[in-house]
């Protein structure tokens, strides 16, 4: 039988790495699987200005490198693999990647969330040809161009501001007049002379030119239903995220949006499986809260493993 690890951590954002730091320092010799996007969503963001301890801010990718270094310093084994099969039906739990099978007494899930898309046919068809869900990744492809950002949350404001470094004009398209984004982010966008606004507008379609690249969008007024065409070179979708729970959501309790339900800290509906970060938090979704729940998951796992080691084996119970 393959080695049974005390703890396997799946996911490498602030939640996963923090869980690894705590689990490693508790001598649980964690193995952490980084997944398809090592470092998680912070690796596709720019300045992180609100993580305490970095008064001047820090670039997201750099911060995640520091998290990783700290996890490794205490002995976390880090694997650049994606776990794509989970079996939580019996203990030890079995996890599989394309390269092998792994067993663990406790599992900490920190697989995070990914960008949500609108679901328009041309949105996926034109992805990489003028449509993007990541300004940090693709903004530099739009020097002196006009682009749109869809959404009214902090992501939309942040992406719009960032895109003004390259684009000549950035138009925020939002389906309402009120914003989910924090006031400071809205104020910053409003103060940016390169940012224009199309409020009470939904994205109805994205049109391509003869070159196969985005040339315009159809916007639908959410109050009057009127549809109008607006020329643009690029469309950045920034309408939130969906949790990455698809590989195991049939084995754990999740809510209607796929977020893993946790009780009593980070305990999931399966004993010995813990969840942290954006995978279970659809409310705060910040690097600092993800790190906080990662810490909780490691402590919960450590205490649970400790309880198991003192548990009376079933066959000796009266
Ligand atoms: P969000 O807060 O959930 O906002 C999503 C936005 O997209 C909302 O304005 C929503 O409109 C709109 N939207 C959703 N589905 C839509 C659809 N089908 N069609 C059109 N519009 C749609 O997501 P987020 O902006 O990604 O932020 C997520 C979390 O990360 C938040 O907690 C945020 O504070 C945090 N964050 C923080 C920072 C920072 O502090 N620097 C930066 C980025 C993100 P409605 O409002 O009408 O629902």
């Amino acid at each position: 039988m393959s080695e049974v690890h005390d703890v396997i951590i799946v996911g490498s954002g602030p939640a996963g790495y923090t869980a690894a730091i705590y689990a490693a320092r508790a001598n649980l010799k964690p193995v952490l699987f980084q997944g398809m996007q090592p470092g998680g969503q912070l690796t596709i963001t720019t300045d992180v200005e609100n993580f305490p301890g970095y008064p001047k801010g820090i670039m997201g990718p750099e911060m995640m490198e520091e998290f990783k270094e700290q996890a490794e310093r205490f002995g976390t084994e880090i694997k650049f693999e994606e776990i794509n099969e989970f079996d939580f039906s019996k203990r030890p739990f079995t996890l599989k990647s394309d390269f092998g099978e792994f067993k663990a007494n406790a599992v900490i899930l920190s697989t995070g969330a990914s960008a949500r898309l609108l679901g328009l046919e041309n949105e996926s068809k034109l992805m990489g040809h003028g449509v993007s869900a990541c300004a940090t990744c693709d903004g530099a492809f739009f020097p002196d161009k006009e682009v749109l950002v869809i959404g009214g949350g902090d992501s939309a404001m942040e992406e719009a501001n960032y895109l003004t470094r390259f684009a000549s004009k950035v138009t925020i398209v939002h389906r309402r007049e009120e914003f989910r984004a924090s006031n400071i982010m809205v104020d910053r966008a409003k103060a940016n002379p390169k940012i224009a606004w199309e409020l009470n507008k939904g994205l109805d379609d994205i049109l391509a030119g003869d070159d196969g690249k985005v040339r315009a969008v159809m916007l639908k007024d959410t109050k009057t239903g009127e549809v109008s065409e607006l020329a643009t070179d690029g469309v950045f979708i920034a309408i939130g995220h969906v949790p990455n729970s698809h590989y195991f959501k049939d084995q754990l309790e999740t809510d209607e949006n796929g977020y893993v339900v946790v009780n009593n800290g980070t305990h999931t509906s399966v004993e010995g499986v813990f969840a942290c970060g954006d995978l279970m938090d659809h409310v705060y979704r910040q690097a600092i809260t993800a790190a906080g729940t990662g810490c909780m998951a490691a402590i919960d796992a450590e205490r649970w493993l400790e309880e198991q080691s003192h548990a009376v084996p079933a066959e000796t119970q009266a």
Side-chain angles (χ1 to χ4, degrees):
M1 195 170 117
S2 54
E3 180 188 358
V4 178
H5 299 284
D6 281 331
V7 181
I8 285 181
I9 299 166
V10 187
S12 57
Y17 282 137
T18 305
I21 293 165
Y22 276 78
R25 295 190 79 251
N27 210 20
L28 294 174
K29 301 182 183 61
V31 180
L32 179 146
F33 287 84
Q34 288 185 309
M36 297 298 275
Q37 192 180 22
Q41 292 179 73
L42 279 173
T43 57
I44 54 167
T45 188
T46 50
D47 285 324
V48 180
E49 295 177 333
N50 49 13
F51 201 96
Y54 295 98
K56 298 186 181 70
I58 182 168
M59 298 302 277
E62 194 186 332
M63 185 163 99
M64 293 325 296
E65 263 311 300
E66 295 199 354
F67 270 63
K68 176 168 172 270
E69 210 178 290
Q70 196 170 351
E72 284 178 316
R73 180 180 153 206
F74 298 108
T76 304
E77 183 186 344
I78 294 183
K79 286 182 176 286
F80 178 61
E81 285 172 46
E82 185 191 43
I83 297 293
N84 47 27
E85 243 185 275
F86 294 78
D87 183 358
F88 295 145
S89 64
K90 54 183 186 304
R91 297 203 298 255
F93 303 119
T94 305
L95 281 63
K96 288 184 190 163
S97 75
D98 287 343
F99 305 98
E101 184 178 292
F102 308 89
K103 291 195 182 288
N105 290 318
V107 172
I108 295 177
L109 299 169
S110 52
T111 50
S114 301
R116 175 186 287 133
L117 298 176
L118 289 161
L120 298 171
E121 195 184 329
N122 279 345
E123 178 186 39
S124 42
K125 220 158 136 187
L126 294 170
M127 192 61 75
H129 301 278
V131 177
S132 169
C134 174
T136 321
C137 317
D138 301 325
F141 296 126
F142 296 86
D144 298 320
K145 306 268 187 203
E146 297 196 358
V147 299
L148 308 182
V149 173
I150 317 298
D154 281 335
S155 294
M157 302 304 130
E158 190 175 72
E159 304 241 310
N161 264 313
Y162 177 75
L163 285 164
T164 60
R165 295 183 190 188
F166 313 98
S168 54
K169 181 180 176 189
V170 178
T171 304
I172 295 177
V173 177
H174 180 39
R175 63 185 177 185
R176 299 190 289 148
E177 270 162 349
E178 302 77 29
F179 296 96
R180 206 172 283 271
S182 50
N183 290 337
I184 184 171
M185 301 289 274
V186 176
D187 291 346
R188 201 178 287 175
K190 282 188 172 161
N192 191 323
K194 280 183 162 184
I195 294 182
W197 305 81
E198 287 282 354
L199 301 182
N200 298 316
K201 297 277 165 53
L203 187 62
D204 220 29
D205 201 359
I206 308 173
L207 310 177
D210 293 338
D211 59 357
K213 291 184 180 160
V214 170
R215 69 161 181 84
V217 293
M218 301 305 292
L219 296 182
K220 190 174 194 173
D221 192 298
T222 50
K223 289 204 159 149
T224 64
E226 194 183 318
V227 177
S228 57
E229 186 175 320
L230 179 67
T232 189
D233 301 304
V235 179
F236 286 84
I237 315 284
I239 59 166
H241 295 83
V242 283
N244 297 322
S245 58
H246 43 283
Y247 287 133
F248 43 74
K249 72 173 174 206
D250 51 341
Q251 298 181 63
L252 300 173
E253 190 189 342
T254 55
D255 71 9
E256 66 280 11
N257 296 315
Y259 287 91
V260 172
V261 173
V262 290
N263 288 301
N264 190 18
T266 61
H267 293 256
T268 70
S269 56
V270 174
E271 244 196 88
V273 179
F274 305 84
C276 50
D278 286 10
L279 174 66
M280 47 67 95
D281 169 25
H282 58 91
V283 179
Y284 303 103
R285 297 180 294 185
Q286 306 295 306
I288 185 71
T289 48
T293 57
C295 158
M296 289 162 63
I299 292 175
D300 287 344
E302 182 196 350
R303 290 183 181 161
W304 181 81
L305 285 165
E306 176 74 10
E307 278 166 25
Q308 302 309 300
S309 70
H310 295 305
V312 181
E315 62 268 25
T316 64
Q317 282 176 4

